Amino acid sequence: MRGEFQARNHRQLTDSQMSPGEMLFRGVANQQSLKKRYKDLLKIFHPDNIDGDNLVILEINKEYDYLSQYLV
């Protein structure tokens, strides 16, 4: 599975080819930056906020779970 992560990280995709989760976590390279981005995104998109969106939260959680497996 590590090869899948490396291939996914090194592919050259345009924004229209990336999932929303991939776009939101673009540039995250370690566990510390992953956690910070995750917390920041939850503050912005939490459903209780005016700009909140439950579907975006689901994408954020999905991508966070995926990345947390590979980033140390």
Side-chain angles (χ1 to χ4, degrees), residues 1-12 66 70:
M1 287 188 79
R2 185 147 181 88
E4 172 192 338
F5 175 73
Q6 289 174 340
R8 181 178 170 196
N9 252 8
H10 290 96
R11 61 188 171 166
Q12 300 297 318
Y66 177 80
Y70 298 102

Side-chain angles (χ1 to χ4, degrees), residues 4 6 12 16 35 40 47-48 51 54-55 57 68 71:
E4 172 192 338
Q6 289 174 340
Q12 300 297 318
S16 64
K35 287 181 182 180
D40 291 343
D48 290 343
D51 294 328
N54 200 34
L55 294 176
I57 290 293
S68 64
L71 297 176

Side-chain angles (χ1 to χ4, degrees), residues 6 9-10 15 19-20 29 33 39 44 50-51 53-54 59 62-63 66-68:
Q6 289 174 340
N9 252 8
H10 290 96
D15 287 347
S19 74
S33 63
K39 288 179 183 180
I44 295 167
I50 293 172
D51 294 328
D53 188 335
N54 200 34
E59 281 292 324
K62 179 180 167 185
E63 189 69 14
Y66 177 80
L67 290 173
S68 64

Side-chain angles (χ1 to χ4, degrees), residues 14-63:
T14 63
D15 287 347
S16 64
Q17 294 172 314
M18 297 178 93
S19 74
E22 287 176 306
M23 285 190 284
L24 292 170
F25 285 94
R26 182 188 293 178
V28 171
N30 58 47
Q31 192 69 259
Q32 183 180 4
S33 63
L34 175 64
K35 287 181 182 180
K36 181 173 181 354
R37 179 77 54 87
Y38 179 70
K39 288 179 183 180
D40 291 343
L41 290 170
L42 289 181
K43 288 178 187 175
I44 295 167
F45 292 105
H46 192 278
D48 290 343
N49 291 338
I50 293 172
D51 294 328
D53 188 335
N54 200 34
L55 294 176
V56 175
I57 290 293
L58 292 173
E59 281 292 324
I60 289 169
N61 287 333
K62 179 180 167 185
E63 189 69 14

